[in-house]
Amino acid sequence: MSGRAAARTLWESARPQGDVRRRNASAWLPHVTELKRDMRRFADSDEVDMVVVGCGAGGATFTQRLAHAGWKVVCLEAGPFWDPQKDWVSDEWGSHHLYWNEPRVVGGSHPVPMGSNNSGRGVGGSMVHFAGFAPRLHPSDFRVRSGDGVAADWPLSYAQLRPYYQRLERELPVAGQYWPWGDPHPYPHPPHPVSGNGEVMLDGCAKLGIEARVGPVAIANGRFGNRPHCIYRGFCLQGCKVDAKASPLITHVPDAIAHGAEIRADAMVTRIETDREGRRVTGVRYVRGGREYVQRAAAVAVAGYSIETPRLLLNSTSRRFPDGLCNDHDLVGRYVMVQGAPQTAGRFAEEIRMYKAPPPEVSTEEFYETDPAKPYVRGFSVQTVSPLPIMWAEHVAEQGHWGPDLRKRMTDYTHWATLGALCEFLPQAENRVTLAEETDRHGLPVARFDHSQCANDGQLMEASRKVMEEILRAAGATELMTVERYAHLVGGCRMGRTAEEGVVDADLRSFAVPNLFITDGSVLPTQGSANPALTIMALADRAACRLAGKEPR
Amino acid sequence: MGRMRAWPGKGAGAVGRAGTWDPVTAGVVLARLGPRHEPALRFFTPREEAVAEALLDHVLARSPDDPPVPVLTVIDDRLATGEYDGWHFADLPQDAEAWRRSLAGLDEDARLRHDGRGFPESGYGERDRLLRHVLQLGSGDWYGMPAGHVWKLWTRYACEAYYAHPHAWDEIGFGGPAYPRGYLRLGRGLREPWEEPR
Ligand SMILES: Cc1cc2nc3c(=O)[nH]c(=O)nc-3n(C[C@H](O)[C@H](O)[C@H](O)COP(=O)(O)OP(=O)(O)OC[C@H]3O[C@@H](n4cnc5c(N)ncnc54)[C@H](O)[C@@H]3O)c2cc1C
Ligand code: SF4
């Protein structure tokens, strides 16, 4: 590590936490399950300052920031208010209920199965079962059109988002080695010890001269406020019962409740209401316990994930918006992106037991930026992933193994290590969410997501597979298997400089209706090769600060 | 699966460690070992049951010596209650309907090729060939559905049921639930004292 990196790391990890606590005391407050009992309740007829739809990465962060600034906020969440001790288990199949299991239809030439990659429901959103990788985007991600001549530029720059990245890294908190890529930066918590899977990646990369780093993961290393430390049990994608891994349920909701926000769970929003002329939104219609209610609000923020957010807007038609709210320019539901996420596994003579320790351990961003020597633009990152038995079985079955072959290969589980890539697929107008004929139990049309790859996407998938194979081989793998997968849906209501370019502006305010905001992953115009949650939270933080006039100095 | 390690007997393996699990997890996992509620099947008709059982025997290579891992009843339960995975391919109907149609298709394929004998009544080798045929069709059409997507539906449901079971974990060396105990010995070639060499 260079002297500067060492000095910055020391400064970051030794700094007092007073500012974190003043901004967001979640980690120091009683457990959310306790706080919930005395939570403030608003009446439907109260016109609250803001109603937020969805309590996930974007929605919960936005709610906490506005409540902290003194706003009256109600956050409506379709799923339950989880109690990690009672509702989550240390078991793969037993965690099926964490997913959004209402019907969705997937089509296109490269359809994206939801399955174990499905978005979440319930307070905390998808971060309840996200792996926990928490990297930032690179500065180049904000100007892909200027830099590479493809996709789009963001209406804001990396520098404008940087302070928010920093704030959130301290609040989650993020653990990892000094980060040499993009905008180099230290992390507040030191890197976690790695398991067999992480050792394989570090070893393979070292042999090939590829820089790799431990982290960055949103898992406290050591205590953080009242939050306990990680016990390396490996069930991060099943919800962290320990409360060591960050999710808004424990990182932002406690402070929101302490500042008078109401998190109203089991409340499925079915429509955003506007005034007669469609000039302003007036509240939202929602179903709770089979009954329909309308919560009045001076402003609305939609944060239901890249599929449900466009679906809600498309389902909210009116005379003014016959094709869906904010859809004057046919942008709602378009440019939905997934990262190409092939996983390559290697077999080793010794036991790896990849199910131990958090799956997110080690990453490299050596291949992140455009390399003029390559036939494709943009790039990919490589990270550790550690499928549990069911996902591993699907991995093996995907290779065409079945019957005796499948069972036999499965008995070798403890000898395999797995890496995953995140390829920056480019946004395309035809990759979109529309409404299907099929309806859900509320009688609302469900979302259909069509996805096709472009040539650049395919080249990235291929290139990343080769790199992962080389790393595993260098570490001593004798046999390899790759499955093509996708991960991390973002986009669908992208931000832009003008109403023709985006649904919302850089402050996440919709161009069509000035008191309607979109504060989740659907606003991303491009996705980089970084996992998106931290960026989504940073954008929501920035939007809330701009709105409340409390920008960090 | 005679080649595999013998079923280690009650009380050993993952289930033997149930005392170290938190009660909620133990409740969920141990329920997979107990009796299933009646009526045993609610979704599959008797004919579909016969076809599905034969199909699952092939997909999961099950033999009479295998430890008892319920698969058909688990799938039936999911389809009866609509506990799907939250998505389906646009060129396939919803999971329940896709299961019905694909089972009828298999039976029909068998009858056409084997003088009117259905899928369960065909011999092992015959069934194996019929399934290989479906797999080889890839994205080609099979009874109005892309064969590859049907194949994924079958293997997905089969794997989700089978590899959720503690007996299957013992077979592959997975430790099972690990809360509140966690792991202390991380790294290549390292084992907890209770982890058996594989
Ligand atoms: C298996 C998996 C692993 C992942 N791993 C990582 C990772 O390692 N790192 C990373 O950065 N990202 C990861 N992600 C992605 C990350 O979790 C998401 O990108 C992020 O949480 C999305 O944030 P969001 O605010 O857009 O939506 P969400 O966090 O999904 O929140 C949306 C919320 O809105 C609710 N909602 C939806 N519609 C309605 C409605 N009509 N009414 C009321 N409520 C509604 C939903 O129930 C949900 O709780 C992972 C995702 C998955 C599925
Ligand atoms: S490995 Fe650590 S962070 Fe992951 S679920 Fe377990 S305790 Fe939580």
Side-chain angles (χ1 to χ4, degrees), chain A residues 85 90-91 96 106 115 350-351 353 355-356 403 407 411 438 475, chain B residues 25 32 59-60 85 88 90 94 171 185 188-189 195-196 198:
Chain A
Q85 281 308 315
S90 191
D91 178 66
H96 199 247
V106 302
E350 71 273 41
E351 290 175 11
R353 297 195 184 256
Y355 56 83
K356 291 189 189 185
R407 286 278 297 282
T411 61
E438 214 173 302
Chain B
T25 301
R32 293 176 195 145
V59 169
L60 293 170
D85 283 334
H88 68 85
Q94 273 236 2
E171 189 175 292
R185 292 161 191 83
R188 282 169 91 161
E195 285 178 322
E196 287 175 41
R198 301 281 305 177

PDB file of all heavy atoms in Angstrom, chain A residues 85 90-91 96 106 115 350-351 353 355-356 403 407 411 438 475, chain B residues 25 32 59-60 85 88 90 94 171 185 188-189 195-196 198:
ATOM      1  N   GLN A  85     -35.323 -11.972  13.962  1.00  0.00           N
ATOM      2  CA  GLN A  85     -35.283 -13.158  14.822  1.00  0.00           C
ATOM      3  C   GLN A  85     -36.420 -14.129  14.530  1.00  0.00           C
ATOM      4  O   GLN A  85     -36.237 -15.335  14.562  1.00  0.00           O
ATOM      5  CB  GLN A  85     -35.304 -12.744  16.295  1.00  0.00           C
ATOM      6  CG  GLN A  85     -33.951 -12.265  16.795  1.00  0.00           C
ATOM      7  CD  GLN A  85     -32.824 -13.261  16.491  1.00  0.00           C
ATOM      8  OE1 GLN A  85     -32.965 -14.462  16.692  1.00  0.00           O
ATOM      9  NE2 GLN A  85     -31.714 -12.744  15.972  1.00  0.00           N
ATOM     10  N   SER A  90     -31.850 -19.474   8.839  1.00  0.00           N
ATOM     11  CA  SER A  90     -30.517 -19.768   8.356  1.00  0.00           C
ATOM     12  C   SER A  90     -30.656 -20.942   7.387  1.00  0.00           C
ATOM     13  O   SER A  90     -30.148 -22.022   7.624  1.00  0.00           O
ATOM     14  CB  SER A  90     -29.680 -20.141   9.589  1.00  0.00           C
ATOM     15  OG  SER A  90     -28.323 -20.205   9.316  1.00  0.00           O
ATOM     16  N   ASP A  91     -31.414 -20.718   6.318  1.00  0.00           N
ATOM     17  CA  ASP A  91     -31.755 -21.814   5.417  1.00  0.00           C
ATOM     18  C   ASP A  91     -32.152 -21.248   4.056  1.00  0.00           C
ATOM     19  O   ASP A  91     -32.838 -20.235   3.985  1.00  0.00           O
ATOM     20  CB  ASP A  91     -32.934 -22.617   5.998  1.00  0.00           C
ATOM     21  CG  ASP A  91     -33.372 -23.730   5.085  1.00  0.00           C
ATOM     22  OD1 ASP A  91     -32.577 -24.658   4.883  1.00  0.00           O
ATOM     23  OD2 ASP A  91     -34.501 -23.661   4.544  1.00  0.00           O
ATOM     24  N   HIS A  96     -37.443 -18.271   0.851  1.00  0.00           N
ATOM     25  CA  HIS A  96     -38.161 -17.974  -0.387  1.00  0.00           C
ATOM     26  C   HIS A  96     -39.119 -16.796  -0.209  1.00  0.00           C
ATOM     27  O   HIS A  96     -39.382 -16.039  -1.138  1.00  0.00           O
ATOM     28  CB  HIS A  96     -38.941 -19.233  -0.785  1.00  0.00           C
ATOM     29  CG  HIS A  96     -39.365 -19.281  -2.212  1.00  0.00           C
ATOM     30  ND1 HIS A  96     -40.682 -19.222  -2.585  1.00  0.00           N
ATOM     31  CD2 HIS A  96     -38.673 -19.379  -3.357  1.00  0.00           C
ATOM     32  CE1 HIS A  96     -40.762 -19.279  -3.902  1.00  0.00           C
ATOM     33  NE2 HIS A  96     -39.570 -19.374  -4.399  1.00  0.00           N
ATOM     34  N   VAL A 106     -41.293 -12.771 -18.109  1.00  0.00           N
ATOM     35  CA  VAL A 106     -40.026 -12.365 -18.722  1.00  0.00           C
ATOM     36  C   VAL A 106     -39.940 -12.864 -20.158  1.00  0.00           C
ATOM     37  O   VAL A 106     -40.248 -14.008 -20.453  1.00  0.00           O
ATOM     38  CB  VAL A 106     -38.797 -12.843 -17.903  1.00  0.00           C
ATOM     39  CG1 VAL A 106     -38.850 -12.298 -16.488  1.00  0.00           C
ATOM     40  CG2 VAL A 106     -38.656 -14.357 -17.888  1.00  0.00           C
ATOM     41  N   GLY A 115     -36.070 -15.789 -10.175  1.00  0.00           N
ATOM     42  CA  GLY A 115     -35.558 -16.840  -9.291  1.00  0.00           C
ATOM     43  C   GLY A 115     -34.784 -16.320  -8.103  1.00  0.00           C
ATOM     44  O   GLY A 115     -35.231 -15.416  -7.399  1.00  0.00           O
ATOM     45  N   GLU A 350      -8.237 -29.799  -2.924  1.00  0.00           N
ATOM     46  CA  GLU A 350      -8.566 -29.690  -1.503  1.00  0.00           C
ATOM     47  C   GLU A 350      -9.966 -29.116  -1.326  1.00  0.00           C
ATOM     48  O   GLU A 350     -10.551 -28.607  -2.270  1.00  0.00           O
ATOM     49  CB  GLU A 350      -7.517 -28.841  -0.764  1.00  0.00           C
ATOM     50  CG  GLU A 350      -7.542 -27.363  -1.071  1.00  0.00           C
ATOM     51  CD  GLU A 350      -6.710 -26.969  -2.280  1.00  0.00           C
ATOM     52  OE1 GLU A 350      -6.742 -27.710  -3.284  1.00  0.00           O
ATOM     53  OE2 GLU A 350      -6.058 -25.914  -2.222  1.00  0.00           O
ATOM     54  N   GLU A 351     -10.454 -29.179  -0.104  1.00  0.00           N
ATOM     55  CA  GLU A 351     -11.793 -28.666   0.151  1.00  0.00           C
ATOM     56  C   GLU A 351     -11.782 -27.136   0.197  1.00  0.00           C
ATOM     57  O   GLU A 351     -10.888 -26.534   0.765  1.00  0.00           O
ATOM     58  CB  GLU A 351     -12.302 -29.185   1.500  1.00  0.00           C
ATOM     59  CG  GLU A 351     -12.594 -30.660   1.473  1.00  0.00           C
ATOM     60  CD  GLU A 351     -12.987 -31.169   2.847  1.00  0.00           C
ATOM     61  OE1 GLU A 351     -13.227 -30.353   3.752  1.00  0.00           O
ATOM     62  OE2 GLU A 351     -13.052 -32.394   2.992  1.00  0.00           O
ATOM     63  N   ARG A 353     -15.129 -25.439   0.547  1.00  0.00           N
ATOM     64  CA  ARG A 353     -16.312 -25.176   1.401  1.00  0.00           C
ATOM     65  C   ARG A 353     -16.739 -23.718   1.270  1.00  0.00           C
ATOM     66  O   ARG A 353     -16.703 -22.939   2.233  1.00  0.00           O
ATOM     67  CB  ARG A 353     -16.010 -25.547   2.851  1.00  0.00           C
ATOM     68  CG  ARG A 353     -15.725 -27.040   3.002  1.00  0.00           C
ATOM     69  CD  ARG A 353     -15.790 -27.501   4.431  1.00  0.00           C
ATOM     70  NE  ARG A 353     -15.419 -28.916   4.523  1.00  0.00           N
ATOM     71  CZ  ARG A 353     -16.295 -29.914   4.698  1.00  0.00           C
ATOM     72  NH1 ARG A 353     -17.578 -29.653   4.814  1.00  0.00           N
ATOM     73  NH2 ARG A 353     -15.889 -31.151   4.761  1.00  0.00           N
ATOM     74  N   TYR A 355     -19.410 -22.321   1.196  1.00  0.00           N
ATOM     75  CA  TYR A 355     -20.592 -21.844   1.928  1.00  0.00           C
ATOM     76  C   TYR A 355     -20.238 -21.165   3.244  1.00  0.00           C
ATOM     77  O   TYR A 355     -21.091 -20.593   3.911  1.00  0.00           O
ATOM     78  CB  TYR A 355     -21.567 -23.003   2.186  1.00  0.00           C
ATOM     79  CG  TYR A 355     -20.971 -24.179   2.919  1.00  0.00           C
ATOM     80  CD1 TYR A 355     -20.867 -24.188   4.298  1.00  0.00           C
ATOM     81  CD2 TYR A 355     -20.490 -25.291   2.215  1.00  0.00           C
ATOM     82  CE1 TYR A 355     -20.314 -25.259   4.974  1.00  0.00           C
ATOM     83  CE2 TYR A 355     -19.938 -26.364   2.876  1.00  0.00           C
ATOM     84  CZ  TYR A 355     -19.845 -26.348   4.262  1.00  0.00           C
ATOM     85  OH  TYR A 355     -19.292 -27.408   4.921  1.00  0.00           O
ATOM     86  N   LYS A 356     -18.967 -21.245   3.645  1.00  0.00           N
ATOM     87  CA  LYS A 356     -18.564 -20.592   4.895  1.00  0.00           C
ATOM     88  C   LYS A 356     -18.208 -19.140   4.621  1.00  0.00           C
ATOM     89  O   LYS A 356     -17.600 -18.837   3.600  1.00  0.00           O
ATOM     90  CB  LYS A 356     -17.327 -21.277   5.445  1.00  0.00           C
ATOM     91  CG  LYS A 356     -17.526 -22.679   5.951  1.00  0.00           C
ATOM     92  CD  LYS A 356     -16.232 -23.061   6.632  1.00  0.00           C
ATOM     93  CE  LYS A 356     -16.122 -24.472   7.023  1.00  0.00           C
ATOM     94  NZ  LYS A 356     -14.874 -24.670   7.771  1.00  0.00           N
ATOM     95  N   GLY A 403     -29.884 -36.344 -13.847  1.00  0.00           N
ATOM     96  CA  GLY A 403     -29.843 -37.761 -13.500  1.00  0.00           C
ATOM     97  C   GLY A 403     -28.605 -38.088 -12.678  1.00  0.00           C
ATOM     98  O   GLY A 403     -28.138 -37.271 -11.883  1.00  0.00           O
ATOM     99  N   ARG A 407     -26.437 -35.833  -9.703  1.00  0.00           N
ATOM    100  CA  ARG A 407     -26.282 -36.255  -8.299  1.00  0.00           C
ATOM    101  C   ARG A 407     -24.810 -36.467  -7.959  1.00  0.00           C
ATOM    102  O   ARG A 407     -24.334 -36.079  -6.894  1.00  0.00           O
ATOM    103  CB  ARG A 407     -27.070 -37.545  -8.051  1.00  0.00           C
ATOM    104  CG  ARG A 407     -28.564 -37.359  -7.974  1.00  0.00           C
ATOM    105  CD  ARG A 407     -29.027 -36.899  -6.600  1.00  0.00           C
ATOM    106  NE  ARG A 407     -28.753 -37.847  -5.533  1.00  0.00           N
ATOM    107  CZ  ARG A 407     -29.470 -38.937  -5.305  1.00  0.00           C
ATOM    108  NH1 ARG A 407     -30.526 -39.218  -6.063  1.00  0.00           N
ATOM    109  NH2 ARG A 407     -29.173 -39.744  -4.311  1.00  0.00           N
ATOM    110  N   THR A 411     -22.145 -34.237  -5.268  1.00  0.00           N
ATOM    111  CA  THR A 411     -21.459 -34.756  -4.075  1.00  0.00           C
ATOM    112  C   THR A 411     -20.087 -34.111  -3.905  1.00  0.00           C
ATOM    113  O   THR A 411     -19.450 -34.236  -2.876  1.00  0.00           O
ATOM    114  CB  THR A 411     -21.277 -36.285  -4.134  1.00  0.00           C
ATOM    115  OG1 THR A 411     -20.470 -36.597  -5.274  1.00  0.00           O
ATOM    116  CG2 THR A 411     -22.603 -37.004  -4.224  1.00  0.00           C
ATOM    117  N   GLU A 438     -51.809 -10.627 -18.000  1.00  0.00           N
ATOM    118  CA  GLU A 438     -52.022 -11.297 -16.719  1.00  0.00           C
ATOM    119  C   GLU A 438     -52.215 -10.280 -15.590  1.00  0.00           C
ATOM    120  O   GLU A 438     -51.559  -9.236 -15.589  1.00  0.00           O
ATOM    121  CB  GLU A 438     -50.746 -12.089 -16.457  1.00  0.00           C
ATOM    122  CG  GLU A 438     -50.889 -13.376 -15.753  1.00  0.00           C
ATOM    123  CD  GLU A 438     -49.531 -14.091 -15.741  1.00  0.00           C
ATOM    124  OE1 GLU A 438     -48.957 -14.362 -16.822  1.00  0.00           O
ATOM    125  OE2 GLU A 438     -49.047 -14.357 -14.635  1.00  0.00           O
ATOM    126  N   ALA A 475      -5.133 -20.552  -9.836  1.00  0.00           N
ATOM    127  CA  ALA A 475      -5.199 -20.937  -8.418  1.00  0.00           C
ATOM    128  C   ALA A 475      -5.184 -22.455  -8.240  1.00  0.00           C
ATOM    129  O   ALA A 475      -5.211 -22.945  -7.118  1.00  0.00           O
ATOM    130  CB  ALA A 475      -6.441 -20.339  -7.783  1.00  0.00           C
TER     131      ALA A 475
ATOM    132  N   THR B  25     -35.293 -21.521  12.636  1.00  0.00           N
ATOM    133  CA  THR B  25     -34.677 -22.299  11.560  1.00  0.00           C
ATOM    134  C   THR B  25     -34.935 -23.784  11.775  1.00  0.00           C
ATOM    135  O   THR B  25     -35.300 -24.502  10.840  1.00  0.00           O
ATOM    136  CB  THR B  25     -33.164 -22.025  11.497  1.00  0.00           C
ATOM    137  OG1 THR B  25     -32.957 -20.629  11.264  1.00  0.00           O
ATOM    138  CG2 THR B  25     -32.514 -22.823  10.391  1.00  0.00           C
ATOM    139  N   ARG B  32     -39.329 -30.564   7.234  1.00  0.00           N
ATOM    140  CA  ARG B  32     -39.146 -31.295   5.966  1.00  0.00           C
ATOM    141  C   ARG B  32     -38.991 -32.793   6.202  1.00  0.00           C
ATOM    142  O   ARG B  32     -39.067 -33.587   5.272  1.00  0.00           O
ATOM    143  CB  ARG B  32     -37.911 -30.761   5.228  1.00  0.00           C
ATOM    144  CG  ARG B  32     -38.122 -29.344   4.770  1.00  0.00           C
ATOM    145  CD  ARG B  32     -36.906 -28.731   4.109  1.00  0.00           C
ATOM    146  NE  ARG B  32     -37.134 -27.297   4.048  1.00  0.00           N
ATOM    147  CZ  ARG B  32     -36.204 -26.368   4.173  1.00  0.00           C
ATOM    148  NH1 ARG B  32     -34.940 -26.715   4.316  1.00  0.00           N
ATOM    149  NH2 ARG B  32     -36.516 -25.095   4.141  1.00  0.00           N
ATOM    150  N   VAL B  59     -34.801 -37.349 -13.477  1.00  0.00           N
ATOM    151  CA  VAL B  59     -34.068 -36.086 -13.340  1.00  0.00           C
ATOM    152  C   VAL B  59     -33.134 -36.135 -12.137  1.00  0.00           C
ATOM    153  O   VAL B  59     -32.003 -35.653 -12.179  1.00  0.00           O
ATOM    154  CB  VAL B  59     -35.051 -34.895 -13.210  1.00  0.00           C
ATOM    155  CG1 VAL B  59     -34.322 -33.630 -12.808  1.00  0.00           C
ATOM    156  CG2 VAL B  59     -35.786 -34.674 -14.527  1.00  0.00           C
ATOM    157  N   LEU B  60     -33.595 -36.749 -11.042  1.00  0.00           N
ATOM    158  CA  LEU B  60     -32.790 -36.784  -9.821  1.00  0.00           C
ATOM    159  C   LEU B  60     -32.131 -38.144  -9.590  1.00  0.00           C
ATOM    160  O   LEU B  60     -31.541 -38.376  -8.536  1.00  0.00           O
ATOM    161  CB  LEU B  60     -33.654 -36.422  -8.609  1.00  0.00           C
ATOM    162  CG  LEU B  60     -34.158 -34.978  -8.577  1.00  0.00           C
ATOM    163  CD1 LEU B  60     -35.188 -34.800  -7.474  1.00  0.00           C
ATOM    164  CD2 LEU B  60     -33.003 -34.007  -8.365  1.00  0.00           C
ATOM    165  N   ASP B  85     -42.051 -19.012  -8.300  1.00  0.00           N
ATOM    166  CA  ASP B  85     -40.815 -18.274  -8.043  1.00  0.00           C
ATOM    167  C   ASP B  85     -40.917 -16.810  -8.431  1.00  0.00           C
ATOM    168  O   ASP B  85     -39.918 -16.115  -8.527  1.00  0.00           O
ATOM    169  CB  ASP B  85     -39.651 -18.928  -8.789  1.00  0.00           C
ATOM    170  CG  ASP B  85     -39.188 -20.195  -8.074  1.00  0.00           C
ATOM    171  OD1 ASP B  85     -39.381 -20.280  -6.850  1.00  0.00           O
ATOM    172  OD2 ASP B  85     -38.641 -21.093  -8.740  1.00  0.00           O
ATOM    173  N   HIS B  88     -42.416 -16.161 -14.836  1.00  0.00           N
ATOM    174  CA  HIS B  88     -42.413 -17.256 -15.811  1.00  0.00           C
ATOM    175  C   HIS B  88     -42.031 -16.711 -17.174  1.00  0.00           C
ATOM    176  O   HIS B  88     -42.196 -15.513 -17.439  1.00  0.00           O
ATOM    177  CB  HIS B  88     -43.743 -18.002 -15.831  1.00  0.00           C
ATOM    178  CG  HIS B  88     -44.900 -17.201 -16.371  1.00  0.00           C
ATOM    179  ND1 HIS B  88     -45.176 -17.113 -17.718  1.00  0.00           N
ATOM    180  CD2 HIS B  88     -45.836 -16.449 -15.750  1.00  0.00           C
ATOM    181  CE1 HIS B  88     -46.239 -16.339 -17.886  1.00  0.00           C
ATOM    182  NE2 HIS B  88     -46.664 -15.916 -16.710  1.00  0.00           N
ATOM    183  N   ALA B  90     -42.248 -15.730 -20.969  1.00  0.00           N
ATOM    184  CA  ALA B  90     -43.399 -15.245 -21.725  1.00  0.00           C
ATOM    185  C   ALA B  90     -43.935 -16.325 -22.673  1.00  0.00           C
ATOM    186  O   ALA B  90     -45.123 -16.350 -22.972  1.00  0.00           O
ATOM    187  CB  ALA B  90     -43.012 -13.993 -22.514  1.00  0.00           C
ATOM    188  N   GLN B  94     -48.203 -19.957 -16.963  1.00  0.00           N
ATOM    189  CA  GLN B  94     -47.830 -19.973 -15.543  1.00  0.00           C
ATOM    190  C   GLN B  94     -47.399 -21.378 -15.151  1.00  0.00           C
ATOM    191  O   GLN B  94     -47.852 -22.365 -15.721  1.00  0.00           O
ATOM    192  CB  GLN B  94     -49.035 -19.556 -14.702  1.00  0.00           C
ATOM    193  CG  GLN B  94     -49.137 -18.062 -14.538  1.00  0.00           C
ATOM    194  CD  GLN B  94     -49.178 -17.658 -13.057  1.00  0.00           C
ATOM    195  OE1 GLN B  94     -49.091 -18.491 -12.174  1.00  0.00           O
ATOM    196  NE2 GLN B  94     -49.317 -16.374 -12.806  1.00  0.00           N
ATOM    197  N   GLU B 171     -25.412 -35.722   1.755  1.00  0.00           N
ATOM    198  CA  GLU B 171     -24.887 -36.364   0.552  1.00  0.00           C
ATOM    199  C   GLU B 171     -23.802 -35.511  -0.106  1.00  0.00           C
ATOM    200  O   GLU B 171     -22.849 -36.037  -0.674  1.00  0.00           O
ATOM    201  CB  GLU B 171     -26.075 -36.526  -0.403  1.00  0.00           C
ATOM    202  CG  GLU B 171     -25.853 -37.354  -1.626  1.00  0.00           C
ATOM    203  CD  GLU B 171     -27.180 -37.485  -2.379  1.00  0.00           C
ATOM    204  OE1 GLU B 171     -28.101 -38.146  -1.859  1.00  0.00           O
ATOM    205  OE2 GLU B 171     -27.304 -36.895  -3.468  1.00  0.00           O
ATOM    206  N   ARG B 185     -13.329 -21.710  11.350  1.00  0.00           N
ATOM    207  CA  ARG B 185     -12.150 -22.147  10.582  1.00  0.00           C
ATOM    208  C   ARG B 185     -12.378 -21.935   9.097  1.00  0.00           C
ATOM    209  O   ARG B 185     -12.995 -22.747   8.425  1.00  0.00           O
ATOM    210  CB  ARG B 185     -11.848 -23.606  10.904  1.00  0.00           C
ATOM    211  CG  ARG B 185     -11.371 -23.761  12.336  1.00  0.00           C
ATOM    212  CD  ARG B 185     -11.484 -25.168  12.857  1.00  0.00           C
ATOM    213  NE  ARG B 185     -11.254 -25.201  14.318  1.00  0.00           N
ATOM    214  CZ  ARG B 185     -12.208 -24.926  15.216  1.00  0.00           C
ATOM    215  NH1 ARG B 185     -13.420 -24.603  14.840  1.00  0.00           N
ATOM    216  NH2 ARG B 185     -11.929 -24.966  16.506  1.00  0.00           N
ATOM    217  N   ARG B 188      -8.844 -22.525   2.628  1.00  0.00           N
ATOM    218  CA  ARG B 188      -8.696 -23.742   1.818  1.00  0.00           C
ATOM    219  C   ARG B 188      -8.229 -24.897   2.686  1.00  0.00           C
ATOM    220  O   ARG B 188      -7.264 -24.767   3.429  1.00  0.00           O
ATOM    221  CB  ARG B 188      -7.653 -23.513   0.725  1.00  0.00           C
ATOM    222  CG  ARG B 188      -8.183 -22.722  -0.430  1.00  0.00           C
ATOM    223  CD  ARG B 188      -7.066 -22.303  -1.346  1.00  0.00           C
ATOM    224  NE  ARG B 188      -6.840 -23.280  -2.410  1.00  0.00           N
ATOM    225  CZ  ARG B 188      -6.179 -22.982  -3.538  1.00  0.00           C
ATOM    226  NH1 ARG B 188      -5.691 -21.782  -3.727  1.00  0.00           N
ATOM    227  NH2 ARG B 188      -6.011 -23.896  -4.463  1.00  0.00           N
ATOM    228  N   GLY B 189      -8.925 -25.994   2.589  1.00  0.00           N
ATOM    229  CA  GLY B 189      -8.515 -27.199   3.294  1.00  0.00           C
ATOM    230  C   GLY B 189      -8.803 -27.200   4.793  1.00  0.00           C
ATOM    231  O   GLY B 189      -8.470 -28.156   5.476  1.00  0.00           O
ATOM    232  N   GLU B 195     -16.973 -31.096  10.790  1.00  0.00           N
ATOM    233  CA  GLU B 195     -17.075 -31.294   9.336  1.00  0.00           C
ATOM    234  C   GLU B 195     -16.254 -32.512   8.930  1.00  0.00           C
ATOM    235  O   GLU B 195     -15.061 -32.574   9.226  1.00  0.00           O
ATOM    236  CB  GLU B 195     -16.587 -30.043   8.591  1.00  0.00           C
ATOM    237  CG  GLU B 195     -17.584 -28.899   8.647  1.00  0.00           C
ATOM    238  CD  GLU B 195     -17.100 -27.624   7.962  1.00  0.00           C
ATOM    239  OE1 GLU B 195     -15.907 -27.294   8.066  1.00  0.00           O
ATOM    240  OE2 GLU B 195     -17.925 -26.952   7.340  1.00  0.00           O
ATOM    241  N   GLU B 196     -16.903 -33.456   8.242  1.00  0.00           N
ATOM    242  CA  GLU B 196     -16.186 -34.666   7.849  1.00  0.00           C
ATOM    243  C   GLU B 196     -15.434 -34.444   6.552  1.00  0.00           C
ATOM    244  O   GLU B 196     -15.910 -33.755   5.671  1.00  0.00           O
ATOM    245  CB  GLU B 196     -17.188 -35.807   7.632  1.00  0.00           C
ATOM    246  CG  GLU B 196     -17.754 -36.345   8.924  1.00  0.00           C
ATOM    247  CD  GLU B 196     -18.831 -37.379   8.660  1.00  0.00           C
ATOM    248  OE1 GLU B 196     -18.647 -38.209   7.736  1.00  0.00           O
ATOM    249  OE2 GLU B 196     -19.857 -37.336   9.353  1.00  0.00           O
ATOM    250  N   ARG B 198     -14.166 -34.832   2.873  1.00  0.00           N
ATOM    251  CA  ARG B 198     -14.911 -35.279   1.688  1.00  0.00           C
ATOM    252  C   ARG B 198     -13.932 -35.729   0.623  1.00  0.00           C
ATOM    253  O   ARG B 198     -13.001 -35.033   0.313  1.00  0.00           O
ATOM    254  CB  ARG B 198     -15.724 -34.123   1.120  1.00  0.00           C
ATOM    255  CG  ARG B 198     -16.710 -33.545   2.099  1.00  0.00           C
ATOM    256  CD  ARG B 198     -17.934 -34.355   2.243  1.00  0.00           C
ATOM    257  NE  ARG B 198     -18.592 -34.593   0.955  1.00  0.00           N
ATOM    258  CZ  ARG B 198     -19.681 -35.334   0.803  1.00  0.00           C
ATOM    259  NH1 ARG B 198     -20.222 -35.923   1.840  1.00  0.00           N
ATOM    260  NH2 ARG B 198     -20.235 -35.505  -0.373  1.00  0.00           N
TER     261      ARG B 198
END
